[in-house]
Amino acid sequence: MSKKEIYAVKGLSVPETPASAQEPKPWKQTQMVGKGIPRVDAYERVSGTAVYPSDVLLPDMIYGAVLRCPHPHAQVKKVDVEAASKMPGVRAVITGDTPEARVEWTYSKEARSSLFDPHCRFEGEPVAAVAAETPYQAEDALRAIRVEYDVLPFVVDERDALKENAPSVHGAGNVLKTEKYERGQVDRGFREADVVLEENYRTECQLHTPMELHGCVAKWDGDRLTLWESTQGVYAVQAEVAEVLKLPLSKVRVVGHYMGGGFGSKLKAGKYTVIAALLAKKSARPVKLFLTREETYLAVGNRPPNNMRLKAGVKKDGTLTALDFSCTGTGGAYPSGGTSLVDWLVRDLYKCPNVRTECTDIAIHTGPARPFRAPGHPQGAWVLEQMMDALAEAIKMDPVELRLKNIPNFSQGKEGNPPYSSTGLKQCLEEGAKAFQWKVARSKALAPGETGRIKRGVGMASCLWVVGGGWPPSTVILKLFPDGSLNLNMGASDIGTGTKTVMALVAAEELGIPLGKIEIEHADTGTTQYATPSGGSKTVPTEAPTVRAAAISVKQQLLEMASKELKLDAASLVFQEGSIAPAKDPSKSVKITDLSELKKRGVVVGIGYRGPNPENKAIIPFAAQFCEVEVNTKTGEVKILRFVSTNDSGRVMDRLTYDSQVIGGITMGIGLAMTEYRVLDRDQTGRMLNRNWHDYKLPTALDVPLEMTSLPVDREDSQANSVGAKGLGEPVTIPTAPAIANAVYNATGIRITETPISPERLCRLLAEKRKEG
Amino acid sequence: MLPNFSYVRPKSLDEAVRHLDSPENRIHAGGTDLLGCLRERVFGVAKIVSLSGIQELKGITETAEGGLRIGALATLREIAESPLIRSKYPVLAQGAAEAASPQLRNQGTLGGNLCQKPRCWYYRGDFHCLRKGGDLCYAMVGENAFHCILGGDACYIVHPSDTAPALVALGATVRITGAGGPRTVPVEEFFVPPTQDLTRETVLEHNEILTEILLPPPPQGLRSSYRKVRARRSWDFALAGVALALQFRGEEVAGGRVVLSGAAPIPWRSVEVEEVILGKRLDAETISAAAEAVVKNAEPLAQNDYKLPLFRAIVEEELSAIAKV
Ligand SMILES: Cc1cc2nc3c(=O)[nH]c(=O)nc-3n(C[C@H](O)[C@H](O)[C@H](O)COP(=O)(O)OP(=O)(O)OC[C@H]3O[C@@H](n4cnc5c(N)ncnc54)[C@H](O)[C@@H]3O)c2cc1C
Ligand code: SF4
């Protein structure tokens, strides 16, 4: 390929360049953004050449393993590592008695603990760790460690934890905190209602199951520590490890180029990270420490179980008059948001003047929760969206209609009631209903005279996600080389969502550089810029405007160079397909790759910073999902036939990664609705019983419908940021479970108020219903 | 992580039997069940004796009498896809097809499927329960939603196999070879209920190998089918299942067997259902009586009473379907 072809393909014109200090205008028509372009790292991912942290192999590397407390509640009396230390291949053993390992660990701000806390408050707390030449030797050494425990009374179910005489997790009562919210006059609201309904609900604890396990490789060079960690945020890991080990930030380098999923469970470092670093220090060898699946199920997070009650009032015309919600939940042994955001949809999704919520977070002897894709929201949606369905039926209104009647255009739940920068909830509902053929499907499902054991049903639910706008800070650096190729340098992780692809598209869009000429450096605290972890559906709305700003800076500098070369004012110059020319006389163009100053300097560096979000605006993504199910009304088997998901997440940045989020979100929601729940041996040992992939049932390819339609409401939100996109990764999983529950109700007349909708549960309920007649 | 062991791959049955001179030496067929048990340290291991080098354990062939001989190493996929089995013994092909997942069916064998260990999560977990020589059945008062409603006694496992009910229904036998020479046992008598011995699942001694499965020629008027309900549509064991192998004379059930999976510690022959339908036409009345009969003697535990309506439902569903064939 000749050099000339590299920069700017034919037909790739670039948007106008704002003068410095001027805000860029929204893109008018895009050439790259919004299309369905295969991922920039698809080859590496599919061929296996991508090196994930768990693939890292260093010379002299050895293997770490962690011994964990097998009891939900115990006091470690003695740890005897003598035999283990002498075993073949063993290079380091650490316990709570090892001086360097006596470091503080904070599961959460409210409750301090230590790395090897002798007071083990959940099954899976680390008690000791070893490093050995092979994983097998490490495992053998663990088995040779003798631990004496005082086994203590436990409580592993939050529904038992408030009973009198329940064992205490932290030495007092087990209530961690109660949060209350109230607006309007709830009791008056209920008096104004024509229909008031009240119901109890529960969602079970869902376990984090990213493909790649949690862990890292740790290596010391003198006093400098490098960690290859499977993480959603390298800088978050750096900060935590530096604090715990009392190291300067500059001495901790965290690399996380590829990572196999996190869903919220890898927003922070784990005890395993610090343990790996300590083992590496002690053995003077690089140490790889990845947990087993069983360990991750016990120790690194889950979606808290929640017990919820909702009382709702509605007028005959569909006006909501009052919502009264309460819930309990548990984030396990340390405060970890056991009820956080569970009430958010009740507060904010529908127009309602009178709302009261009360959430009580409870401590129990189980592994701490970690944020789980849209924390709190799927639980709250399970309640609110089933209630909306029931209210609609009670006032004989179509459920879509009822929701359409109650769409707010400002946030009722947020301080100061900011207006939404954009709201596409109406479009989501209308366009979704149309694409799904809701009316037809519903009338068919409701058609009388169906006698067979197989019944069909349709259901829907909608949602919003509490934050969709991303936030500062972020810094992105673009390096344009004299041959017209580009380096994109950012600290953010691509957690599998396609961040790299989207950012390359933004750079390509703004600079007219073909994707093949863009290389990305990212997620490395040693070489890339500060970024907060990829979570909260923030990565696209945070990083994409930053990339755009950096690209504009590159263009501005190129215009300056051309202005010198052409001896014309920069403001009179424009880009045209790889060249810069006077706007008035395109024939006098100079090719960018011919700019002498660029050749001399060797690079143009454009730096983009993420500016603040607009003041007093709520940037919120919305969604609605529709589904159809088939129920065997004798056995309780449910087959999900199809899903339509409509999402308003602002501009569609890339159609393929967008649709992947939708499909993945629905799949995860099906897991919560149908098959996934933690089982603890509640009354005997308190231990987890389903800690493997057979007993903890993730949905398989046969459990999700072939027909999953993603239908974006593709409207750029120009108030939100310079690319017009809002977050997507979390709203996609919020309405799924209640949409299924509503469809099952539609088919059977049975309200399933507790997850999962398993044949066990539904068969029992169907039998009870038949008995009642 | 797996414990340490040595590994041999003998070429003949005799050699294999010689290697089985200690109870800690374990037979490896497809390994899909064995490796899980070893990883979970359900039992110890010294040596692994792979059967994969023994040619005579492979293949599916017709016998002179018109029955079928299936080598113990035939994979579940081979069984599920065999045209012979699909046409003559659909219940077996369906049972194999309903088991596990495509990958596991490619690797798992019929012999291994019959000899697989229970799936009780206490047994598979780090719990020294009765069946492992301890003194407590944790499932009795613990988490027992997936345990048995029939035939439980001190231990409440369900038998995990989807092929065994079909083989019992078809009146199959297994051939066994060991240090003491070969023997033949009806599949129905191959499994050991907890009432007889809590610590073993089959009649096999540690040094015996199941070599082949023999199916009698299909009797006149044989209709057969397998129905399985599970919490997840693949890669999951039966919550409830029923294997039917019924001989019809005209519209009337002249003989045959009804065998349940997911119900009991062994594949459970429902004599109660058989009694109701024998000599009858499968009309609505008979079917509804059969559906009641299937759980007549059931004793559900605290969390598995859903199995009562579930078994009623599938017996009703399957008898209705087979009546229409
Ligand atoms: C996740 C998962 C899901 C599953 N789901 C199902 C399901 O839904 N339905 C179902 O029926 N099964 C299921 N299985 C079990 C699987 O089908 C069986 O494990 C498989 O058929 C066993 O065959 P194998 O050759 O792999 O047995 P192996 O693992 O090799 O052996 C199993 C046991 O039998 C012994 N053994 C094997 N062959 C012989 C022989 N010829 N003589 C004497 N002893 C022998 C072994 O020593 C071992 O103890 C599942 C397994 C897994 C891991
Ligand atoms: S059911 Fe059987 S295998 Fe399970 S805990 Fe009880 S004794 Fe053990």
Side-chain angles (χ1 to χ4, degrees):
Chain A
M1 190 187 302
S2 82
K3 281 262 154 103
K4 290 193 192 86
E5 285 166 356
I6 293 182
Y7 188 85
V9 255
K10 275 258 173 272
L12 263 193
S13 58
V14 304
E16 206 177 304
T17 315
S20 49
Q22 226 173 45
E23 283 301 311
K25 294 198 185 113
W27 288 313
K28 283 198 199 97
Q29 238 201 326
T30 56
Q31 320 231 14
M32 304 291 289
V33 164
K35 311 276 183 297
I37 294 189
R39 295 188 183 211
V40 292
D41 53 5
Y43 174 82
E44 290 88 326
R45 286 181 189 273
V46 173
S47 65
T49 61
V51 179
Y52 288 72
S54 42
D55 297 326
V56 168
L57 268 180
L58 300 175
D60 296 329
M61 188 178 87
I62 60 175
Y63 296 84
V66 180
L67 184 70
R68 293 174 185 275
C69 176
H71 311 289
H73 192 196
Q75 185 75 34
V76 175
K77 285 163 64 188
K78 192 167 162 222
V79 186
D80 178 359
V81 297
E82 203 183 318
S85 311
K86 291 186 188 135
M87 289 185 55
V90 173
R91 297 290 171 255
V93 182
I94 57 174
T95 71
D97 296 328
T98 313
E100 312 88 75
R102 287 212 196 109
V103 297
E104 202 173 10
W105 180 262
T106 44
Y107 279 109
S108 69
K109 278 177 252 130
E110 298 94 331
R112 295 192 181 287
S113 152
S114 57
L115 192 62
F116 296 109
D117 190 338
H119 188 168
C120 299
R121 292 184 174 87
F122 63 91
E123 181 191 11
E125 262 287 47
V127 173
V130 303
E133 296 287 340
T134 72
Y136 284 92
Q137 288 174 328
E139 162 100 0
D140 288 346
L142 285 190
R143 288 178 179 275
I145 297 174
R146 295 277 155 262
V147 187
E148 272 177 49
Y149 294 101
D150 251 344
V151 179
L152 302 169
F154 62 86
V155 56
V156 294
D157 191 310
E158 75 288 352
R159 290 164 294 187
D160 298 334
L162 302 187
K163 290 182 185 156
E164 221 181 312
N165 300 328
S168 161
V169 181
H170 289 285
N174 289 322
V175 170
L176 290 169
K177 68 172 175 210
T178 296
E179 273 180 330
K180 292 183 184 181
Y181 168 86
E182 186 157 2
R183 72 167 177 257
Q185 290 177 286
V186 173
D187 297 330
R188 201 176 78 190
F190 283 124
R191 285 198 298 275
E192 287 167 2
D194 293 317
V195 171
V196 175
L197 297 179
E198 190 169 354
E199 184 68 87
N200 292 307
Y201 306 83
R202 174 175 165 84
T203 49
E204 290 290 339
C205 174
Q206 204 178 6
L207 297 174
H208 265 300
T209 312
M211 253 334 210
E212 187 179 33
L213 296 159
H214 293 63
C216 67
V217 175
K219 175 177 186 287
W220 291 87
D221 298 290
D223 62 352
R224 184 190 193 201
L225 171 66
T226 306
L227 293 162
W228 288 262
E229 166 124 345
S230 181
T231 179
Q232 295 174 241
V234 289
Y235 276 94
V237 173
Q238 180 202 41
E240 204 166 4
V241 171
E243 188 183 324
V244 171
L245 294 181
K246 311 239 176 324
L247 294 167
L249 288 169
S250 64
K251 296 287 184 189
V252 182
R253 179 177 175 193
V254 182
V255 186
H257 294 155
Y258 286 93
M259 64 88 70
F263 306 102
S265 70
K266 294 178 184 166
L267 292 167
K268 307 202 301 177
K271 280 192 173 181
Y272 50 84
T273 320
V274 176
I275 290 172
L278 292 172
L279 289 170
K281 186 98 190 179
K282 187 139 198 236
S283 61
R285 301 275 290 274
V287 169
K288 176 181 266 187
L289 174 55
F290 273 84
L291 307 192
T292 60
R293 184 64 63 188
E294 291 88 341
E295 290 177 277
T296 70
Y297 273 3
L298 290 172
V300 295
N302 53 65
R303 182 189 295 289
N306 288 109
N307 312 289
M308 298 160 284
R309 189 189 62 81
L310 179 63
K311 183 175 169 188
V314 70
K315 287 191 187 163
K316 280 201 187 104
D317 68 355
T319 311
L320 289 175
T321 61
L323 295 169
D324 188 3
F325 175 83
S326 64
C327 99
T328 61
T330 179
Y334 291 90
S336 312
T339 52
S340 90
L341 295 172
V342 174
D343 63 348
W344 188 255
L345 292 175
V346 171
R347 290 197 210 180
D348 210 40
L349 181 57
Y350 299 118
K351 223 187 303 178
C352 183
N354 309 304
V355 176
R356 183 159 59 206
T357 73
E358 181 175 322
C359 298
T360 302
D361 194 357
I362 296 168
I364 59 170
H365 292 106
T366 58
R370 286 190 177 187
F372 196 130
R373 202 174 194 172
H377 286 53
Q379 299 99 299
W382 176 255
V383 172
L384 180 62
E385 293 304 282
Q386 290 207 61
M387 179 55 86
M388 289 296 278
D389 207 58
L391 292 175
E393 187 184 36
I395 59 168
K396 300 195 174 55
M397 188 180 261
D398 184 285
V400 176
E401 214 57 48
L402 177 61
R403 287 169 172 87
L404 282 168
K405 264 213 92 112
N406 290 288
I407 294 180
N409 51 17
F410 63 90
S411 169
Q412 303 161 94
K414 295 205 181 209
E415 258 323 284
N417 297 146
Y420 294 128
S421 58
S422 62
T423 167
L425 183 53
K426 182 163 179 282
Q427 283 81 354
C428 287
L429 288 163
E430 286 174 348
E431 289 168 29
K434 194 164 149 226
F436 186 83
Q437 298 199 288
W438 170 253
K439 288 246 149 83
V440 180
R442 201 169 141 81
S443 61
K444 263 197 209 149
L446 290 176
E450 248 201 277
T451 51
R453 59 172 61 215
I454 306 291
K455 293 228 164 77
R456 285 204 174 193
V458 294
M460 56 82 53
S462 47
C463 78
L464 57 70
W465 162 240
V466 65
V467 283
W471 52 81
S474 171
T475 305
V476 166
I477 292 181
L478 293 181
K479 294 187 281 186
L480 179 77
F481 297 110
D483 66 352
S485 63
L486 185 85
N487 242 318
L488 192 163
N489 182 299
M490 65 174 175
S493 301
D494 183 337
I495 56 174
T497 53
T499 305
K500 284 157 78 184
T501 305
V502 170
M503 299 316 142
L505 289 173
V506 172
E509 184 75 45
E510 197 62 39
L511 291 166
I513 299 177
L515 282 182
K517 296 293 163 279
I518 300 176
E519 266 312 313
I520 297 177
E521 307 286 342
H522 78 306
D524 181 340
T525 64
T527 60
T528 66
Q529 313 317 308
Y530 184 82
T532 50
S534 295
S537 300
K538 60 149 279 240
T539 311
V540 161
T542 299
E543 308 301 337
T546 317
V547 174
R548 190 171 181 212
I552 287 169
S553 158
V554 167
K555 290 204 300 189
Q556 287 165 340
Q557 294 177 60
L558 291 173
L559 288 175
E560 285 300 327
M561 289 179 182
S563 127
K564 283 185 207 155
E565 196 133 334
L566 296 171
K567 302 200 171 46
L568 287 166
D569 182 16
S572 69
L573 301 177
V574 293
F575 280 83
Q576 40 165 235
E577 295 189 10
S579 300
I580 293 175
K584 296 218 174 87
D585 185 1
S587 67
K588 276 204 194 139
S589 71
V590 53
K591 277 209 160 53
I592 287 160
T593 46
D594 289 342
L595 285 169
S596 54
E597 194 180 343
L598 176 56
K599 286 183 185 164
K600 202 159 68 198
R601 272 215 246 157
V603 70
V604 173
V605 177
I607 305 181
Y609 299 101
R610 176 60 157 83
N613 284 341
E615 262 172 56
N616 196 32
K617 281 273 151 60
I619 305 168
I620 300 294
F622 297 87
Q625 289 181 359
F626 298 78
C627 86
E628 181 158 7
V629 300
E630 200 174 78
V631 183
N632 182 323
T633 56
K634 289 288 177 65
T635 61
E637 292 162 288
V638 175
K639 185 170 184 195
I640 299 167
L641 299 174
R642 65 189 177 111
F643 250 95
V644 168
S645 178
T646 40
N647 288 79
D648 162 32
S649 287
R651 183 195 289 282
V652 176
M653 298 298 288
D654 177 58
R655 187 60 199 266
L656 285 180
T657 53
Y658 194 102
D659 291 354
S660 293
Q661 284 302 304
V662 171
I663 291 165
I666 293 173
T667 304
M668 204 170 223
I670 289 174
L672 175 66
M674 311 299 290
T675 55
E676 289 182 48
Y677 58 102
R678 176 177 74 184
V679 181
L680 301 166
D681 188 28
R682 167 177 168 173
D683 297 326
Q684 298 177 107
T685 62
R687 304 185 66 185
M688 194 189 296
L689 294 176
N690 57 346
R691 58 181 79 180
N692 60 56
W693 274 7
H694 161 253
D695 289 319
Y696 184 81
K697 298 180 202 304
L698 298 160
T700 70
L702 294 184
D703 297 285
V704 298
L706 205 54
E707 207 184 318
M708 284 196 263
T709 309
S710 156
L711 201 76
V713 176
D714 188 2
R715 289 193 324 179
E716 65 135 14
D717 182 339
S718 52
Q719 294 193 38
N721 54 57
S722 70
V723 300
K726 303 190 276 190
L728 174 71
E730 283 159 302
V732 290
T733 202
I734 298 169
T736 308
I740 297 169
N742 289 339
V744 170
Y745 176 78
N746 184 230
T748 62
I750 293 174
R751 272 258 159 251
I752 312 236
T753 54
E754 297 187 22
T755 67
I757 309 174
S758 58
E760 301 95 285
R761 186 185 309 281
L762 189 50
C763 182
R764 191 182 274 140
L765 293 171
L766 285 160
E768 281 166 13
K769 190 171 181 219
R770 276 195 301 273
K771 216 180 266 165
E772 288 160 13
Chain B
M1 216 162 276
L2 292 172
N4 290 327
F5 51 79
S6 62
Y7 176 88
V8 289
R9 192 163 179 258
K11 286 270 179 307
S12 73
L13 264 180
D14 283 351
E15 202 189 326
V17 170
R18 274 202 302 280
H19 277 295
L20 294 172
D21 53 357
S22 145
E24 294 270 286
N25 298 355
R26 306 284 173 184
I27 296 169
H28 179 277
T32 59
D33 181 57
L34 180 71
L35 295 190
C37 290
L38 297 184
R39 187 174 180 279
E40 305 289 356
R41 312 218 173 206
V42 173
F43 43 73
V45 61
K47 189 195 287 185
I48 285 196
V49 183
S50 168
L51 299 183
S52 61
I54 306 173
Q55 287 312 313
E56 58 185 292
L57 296 183
K58 295 180 182 168
I60 303 171
T61 46
E62 268 182 296
T63 60
E65 310 83 61
L68 218 54
R69 175 216 159 265
I70 305 175
L73 287 185
T75 64
L76 293 181
R77 179 178 168 187
E78 282 166 355
I79 311 273
E81 293 182 355
S82 155
L84 259 178
I85 299 178
R86 286 166 67 126
S87 63
K88 292 169 107 173
Y89 311 97
V91 62
L92 178 58
Q94 288 165 15
E98 292 284 301
S101 67
Q103 292 93 327
L104 288 160
R105 292 196 293 274
N106 284 338
Q107 178 70 16
T109 66
L110 184 59
N113 191 270
L114 297 180
C115 301
Q116 62 178 303
K117 292 291 178 178
R119 282 281 159 181
C120 167
W121 42 30
Y122 295 101
Y123 176 80
R124 295 271 170 163
D126 186 14
F127 298 87
H128 193 58
C129 75
L130 266 183
R131 184 166 288 273
K132 289 197 284 193
D135 45 28
L136 180 67
C137 169
Y138 290 87
M140 207 163 81
V141 293
E143 297 300 312
N144 50 33
F146 302 120
H147 286 75
C148 71
I149 54 168
L150 286 161
D153 184 12
C155 166
Y156 298 89
I157 56 165
V158 290
H159 197 270
S161 169
D162 284 313
T163 62
L167 293 172
V168 173
L170 291 167
T173 51
V174 291
R175 299 268 297 161
I176 295 167
T177 290
R183 57 181 176 136
T184 303
V185 179
V187 177
E188 196 182 358
E189 289 160 28
F190 180 69
F191 301 101
V192 178
T195 39
Q196 212 172 312
D197 184 347
L198 257 176
T199 58
R200 57 161 69 199
E201 293 78 36
T202 71
V203 298
L204 287 179
E205 297 301 329
H206 74 83
N207 55 4
E208 284 188 314
I209 299 172
L210 191 165
T211 56
E212 57 194 31
I213 296 95
L214 297 165
L215 286 166
Q220 272 277 312
L222 176 70
R223 294 182 205 169
S224 76
S225 70
Y226 183 60
R227 168 78 158 99
K228 172 178 175 181
V229 179
R230 54 191 147 185
R232 177 165 71 176
R233 300 185 79 82
S234 175
W235 198 13
D236 207 359
F237 292 87
L239 294 172
V242 56
L244 299 179
L246 303 178
Q247 290 119 257
F248 281 79
R249 197 181 306 121
E251 304 248 301
E252 194 177 283
V253 179
R257 292 178 178 180
V258 176
V259 186
L260 311 178
S261 59
I266 58 171
W268 192 259
R269 214 175 136 182
S270 181
V271 185
E272 294 80 4
V273 174
E274 290 173 13
E275 272 169 9
V276 170
I277 61 176
L278 209 68
K280 302 262 178 56
R281 291 173 49 155
L282 291 180
D283 52 21
E285 199 185 323
T286 308
I287 290 175
S288 136
E292 278 313 311
V294 69
V295 290
K296 196 169 78 184
N297 297 326
E299 292 177 356
L301 301 163
Q303 299 176 350
N304 67 2
D305 60 346
Y306 69 90
K307 289 195 178 189
L308 307 185
L310 192 51
F311 273 105
R312 281 192 206 107
I314 58 172
V315 165
E316 184 187 288
E317 196 177 296
E318 283 306 282
L319 286 177
S320 310
I322 209 161
K324 291 196 197 104
V325 172

